[in-house]
Amino acid sequence: MKQTINGNLFREMFISGANNLQNNKDLIDKLNVFPVPDGDTGTNMSLTIASAIKELNKVNSDSIEEIGKSLSKGSLMGARGNSGVILSQIIRGIAKSVEGKNELTIDDFAKALKSGSDTAYKAVIKPIEGTILTVVRESGEFAIKNSKKSSSFIDFLELIVIEANKSLDRTPDLLKNLKDAGVVDSGGKGLVCLYEGMLSAIKGKVVELKSGNGVTTTSSPVGVPSENVRDVDIKFGYCTEFILESDTANPDEIRDIMLKYGDSLVVVGYDGVVKVHVHSNEPGTVLQEALKYGQLLTIKIENMRVQHENQIIPDEEQEEHIESASEGFVLNEEKKPYGFITTTMGRGLADIFDGLGVDIVIEGGQTMNPSTEDFMNAINMINADDIYILPNNGNVIMAANQAKEISEKSIHVVPTKNIPQGIGCLVAFDPDSDAKTNMENFSDALENIKSGEITFAVRDTIMDGIEVNENDIIGITGKKLVSSGKNLNEVTKNVIKEMIDEDSDIVTLYYGEDVEEDDARLFAEIIQDEFEDVDVELYYGGQPLYYYLISVE
């Protein structure tokens, strides 16, 4: 009976656990307290663990310490959403605990699980029981108490999985929202899937990643040629890079133009400056096309066929070569006093933030939470004394804070939980005040902004005393379900009525991609007629899934 595990088995356990988690991401996504169409815990945890495995694949040795460090680094940078950040901290704690070990005993592994729990709890300012934190803590404590009682690693992990499932089943008793929704905690379920995959590996059967469920652990990273590709002719021979200054073209337009000239395309750009990296057989034509839209600030062309003949570039260097197209790109060479990073979904909302002076708008939010690495890349592109991050989503704040901890720059995370709060804080910003004063101003602004969301239900449920049927229009303010029904205008009006009080002056509506402009304008007029004491403002947001985002001030 196996009493210890070596580095190779330690690797296989994490790969198997990661694959099992990714295979169950859709199930985990559906364990959402609110019946809204953006349940993304499974997706976030899957992308986080996939990033860890991608980093693990770069480690050729079976050193337990190196394996742990790679998993920690990959999960840290790839962490998305609160569940992903917590998972990355669990892995970080495990990695720290196994440093210096050539093999792991049952007791070593129990201490590693406990270390994962302790590290995760320290990373959360206000830990909430009934979540993934509870499951990792209770299973970690159980592991410590029972490490001496198990005759083999298999018996030990079987007990851990049983206890983790019991802990998961108890989460609705600790968190009323879960009990009301009739679900267990989604993050806790993801952790259980990780444990179950580990157990399968130690029994000799590594869980395979099902097709379409994520990043396979054996494939080459995106944009990096596999072994087979190396033996054939290079399709596009010239690595072409340039920086275009243009008042007329945005990155999306340039990307569409360049797609027909080659592959390995990377386009990034902000404030009239677009950086392009493309592999092409027509570098001259590529540059001529770009010149139609402005002037070229820099140009770099390399013959990759000659490079290929001279030396085959290792996988990791090729990956760095492609990824470097978006690295080291600084928006402003001269340091400025402050800069802003925000996240949003929808072209209209992005334009609004751009108009308010935001340097970088990261696409993400309700349906795709940005990773820690996304924030780090944005931070590195801004040369400013103080950089403010507005996450605009409660599930993104932890990843932003994790980037803050990693960065050596002066970063300030404003805890905006939705779009109206983000916009309100930008309006409250005083360019003549220091960071401390502005953070105080933001706190005041957040207290005075009421926010609402109108979307549709993805399942039947009863919440806050309101019966909801699948596909009903639902209105939410804060964490409370306010209205449900079949008529969009009626539900939206009910939410606005709930939000308005005698101190309200302005109602702002941001209509989404599924609402026609004429319908939105007509509805805004109806609201203005009904609520005469407030001013109603209407803007195109273009956000997916949410018909209206509402702000009342």
Side-chain angles (χ1 to χ4, degrees):
M1 301 292 281
K2 190 177 292 294
Q3 294 288 331
T4 63
I5 57 176
N6 58 21
N8 183 59
L9 183 53
F10 187 58
R11 176 195 294 268
E12 289 185 344
M13 287 168 65
F14 263 97
I15 291 174
S16 182
N19 289 347
N20 194 50
L21 197 163
Q22 292 180 79
N23 288 344
N24 287 280
K25 67 181 176 67
D26 291 339
L27 168 64
I28 299 168
D29 278 342
K30 291 176 182 177
L31 296 174
N32 195 13
V33 171
F34 279 101
V36 294
D38 58 9
D40 50 13
T41 299
T43 299
N44 284 335
M45 295 184 77
S46 294
L47 290 169
T48 301
I49 201 70
S51 178
I53 298 302
K54 180 180 176 182
E55 195 67 27
L56 173 63
N57 287 336
K58 298 177 183 178
V59 176
N60 295 321
S61 77
D62 284 332
S63 162
I64 288 177
E65 181 170 337
E66 287 188 33
I67 289 170
K69 285 182 176 179
S70 68
L71 289 167
S72 179
K73 177 184 176 183
S75 62
L76 182 76
M77 296 305 290
R80 297 173 187 266
N82 294 342
S83 57
V85 172
I86 292 173
L87 177 61
S88 75
Q89 292 298 317
I90 293 171
I91 294 173
R92 180 184 178 189
I94 291 173
K96 188 71 176 175
S97 181
V98 301
E99 286 182 3
K101 306 285 186 182
N102 294 319
E103 60 180 14
L104 299 179
T105 65
I106 294 174
D107 189 56
D108 289 332
F109 198 78
K111 289 177 180 177
L113 294 180
K114 182 65 166 60
S115 176
S117 169
D118 293 343
T119 304
Y121 265 84
K122 289 176 183 177
V124 180
I125 297 174
K126 294 181 180 179
I128 298 175
E129 298 301 332
T131 65
I132 181 176
L133 290 171
T134 301
V135 179
V136 72
R137 176 179 57 78
E138 292 185 344
S139 57
E141 291 171 348
F142 180 87
I144 293 294
K145 291 178 182 178
N146 291 272
S147 61
K148 302 288 195 299
K149 302 177 183 178
S150 301
S151 59
S152 71
F153 242 109
I154 291 178
D155 291 342
F156 172 67
L157 269 184
E158 282 181 337
L159 290 174
I160 296 298
V161 168
I162 291 171
E163 179 59 30
N165 271 297
K166 288 180 179 178
S167 178
L168 177 65
D169 290 340
R170 290 192 294 265
T171 55
D173 298 327
L174 299 172
L175 208 54
K176 185 176 182 297
N177 286 343
L178 294 174
K179 184 177 284 291
D180 290 345
V183 296
V184 295
D185 179 66
S186 53
K189 177 63 176 178
L191 183 66
V192 168
C193 289
L194 180 68
Y195 287 167
E196 289 174 340
M198 287 180 167
L199 174 60
S200 183
I202 207 168
K203 286 182 173 180
K205 185 176 181 181
V206 174
V207 175
E208 297 293 330
L209 187 65
K210 295 178 182 177
S211 176
N213 274 339
V215 181
T216 61
T217 58
T218 55
S219 66
S220 297
V222 176
V224 180
S226 66
E227 290 294 333
N228 293 332
V229 173
R230 292 182 177 199
D231 295 329
V232 302
D233 291 336
I234 295 174
K235 184 177 181 181
F236 296 104
Y238 296 93
C239 174
T240 307
E241 295 183 38
F242 61 86
I243 295 179
L244 169 68
E245 185 177 57
S246 174
D247 295 328
T248 59
N250 62 42
D252 291 338
E253 292 172 332
I254 297 298
R255 182 181 295 108
D256 291 341
I257 293 168
M258 294 300 156
L259 277 171
K260 52 189 174 186
Y261 292 111
D263 65 5
S264 297
L265 180 64
V266 180
V267 180
V268 292
Y270 306 94
D271 291 344
V273 178
V274 183
K275 184 171 183 178
V276 176
H277 166 284
V278 62
H279 291 176
S280 174
N281 286 329
E282 306 172 71
T285 305
V286 166
L287 297 179
Q288 287 176 351
E289 284 291 327
L291 282 168
K292 293 178 183 178
Y293 296 91
Q295 62 176 330
L296 298 177
L297 302 182
T298 65
I299 300 171
K300 178 183 174 184
I301 301 174
E302 295 178 340
N303 188 325
M304 295 188 297
R305 291 190 178 95
V306 172
Q307 291 176 335
H308 183 82
E309 291 168 2
N310 293 336
Q311 180 182 10
I312 296 295
I313 305 173
D315 279 350
E316 61 273 13
E317 290 184 22
Q318 292 200 39
E319 183 179 12
E320 290 172 4
H321 166 68
I322 292 171
E323 291 181 348
S324 68
S326 60
E327 294 176 355
F329 177 34
V330 180
L331 293 180
N332 48 299
E333 294 296 335
E334 184 177 344
K335 181 174 279 191
K336 58 182 186 175
Y338 55 85
F340 285 97
I341 299 167
T342 193
T343 67
T344 192
M345 290 288 283
R347 183 68 258 167
L349 293 173
D351 288 342
I352 291 172
F353 281 115
D354 183 61
L356 289 169
V358 171
D359 296 86
I360 297 177
V361 178
I362 301 174
E363 184 176 353
Q366 296 289 17
T367 54
M368 176 59 74
N369 297 153
S371 67
T372 301
E373 187 171 18
D374 290 333
F375 283 115
M376 286 301 300
N377 288 339
I379 287 169
N380 291 335
M381 292 172 69
I382 298 177
N383 186 14
D385 292 324
D386 292 290
I387 299 175
Y388 300 90
I389 300 178
L390 293 86
N392 299 338
N393 187 302
N395 206 31
V396 176
I397 294 173
M398 287 188 73
N401 277 317
Q402 192 149 271
K404 173 186 174 180
E405 294 301 318
I406 297 171
S407 177
E408 296 180 355
K409 296 184 178 182
S410 179
I411 309 298
H412 311 275
V413 177
V414 187
T416 53
K417 295 183 178 181
N418 50 59
I419 298 300
Q421 287 186 349
I423 292 173
C425 284
L426 285 167
V427 173
F429 176 70
D430 181 1
D432 296 323
S433 296
D434 60 17
K436 181 180 179 181
T437 302
N438 271 304
M439 289 299 286
E440 291 171 353
N441 291 342
F442 295 151
S443 295
D444 292 339
L446 292 176
E447 291 180 2
N448 296 319
I449 299 172
K450 298 178 182 178
S451 305
E453 303 166 334
I454 310 299
T455 183
F456 60 92
V458 293
R459 68 170 189 272
D460 296 345
T461 189
I462 297 177
M463 179 169 287
D464 296 318
I466 298 174
E467 184 175 345
V468 178
N469 296 313
E470 184 177 352
N471 294 323
D472 274 0
I473 307 295
I474 55 176
I476 301 166
T477 61
K479 293 185 177 181
K480 182 181 179 182
L481 182 66
V482 173
S483 182
S484 174
K486 306 297 183 184
N487 185 282
L488 173 60
N489 286 359
E490 183 178 330
V491 171
T492 308
K493 187 191 298 183
N494 290 340
V495 172
I496 294 172
K497 186 175 182 180
E498 175 77 14
M499 295 170 69
I500 287 179
D501 59 29
E502 59 184 15
D503 296 323
S504 302
D505 296 316
I506 302 173
V507 173
T508 307
L509 302 172
Y510 304 92
Y511 64 96
E513 65 179 5
D514 294 323
V515 178
E516 294 293 333
E517 180 179 356
D518 289 345
D519 293 338
R521 291 191 180 281
L522 179 60
F523 177 68
E525 291 174 4
I526 293 172
I527 295 300
Q528 184 65 82
D529 290 340
E530 183 155 341
F531 302 96
E532 297 178 351
D533 294 334
V534 300
D535 293 325
V536 178
E537 297 181 353
L538 178 70
Y539 296 96
Y540 170 65
Q543 68 273 5
L545 304 179
Y546 286 75
Y547 302 110
Y548 287 103
L549 301 177
I550 307 165
S551 171
V552 174
E553 301 175 61

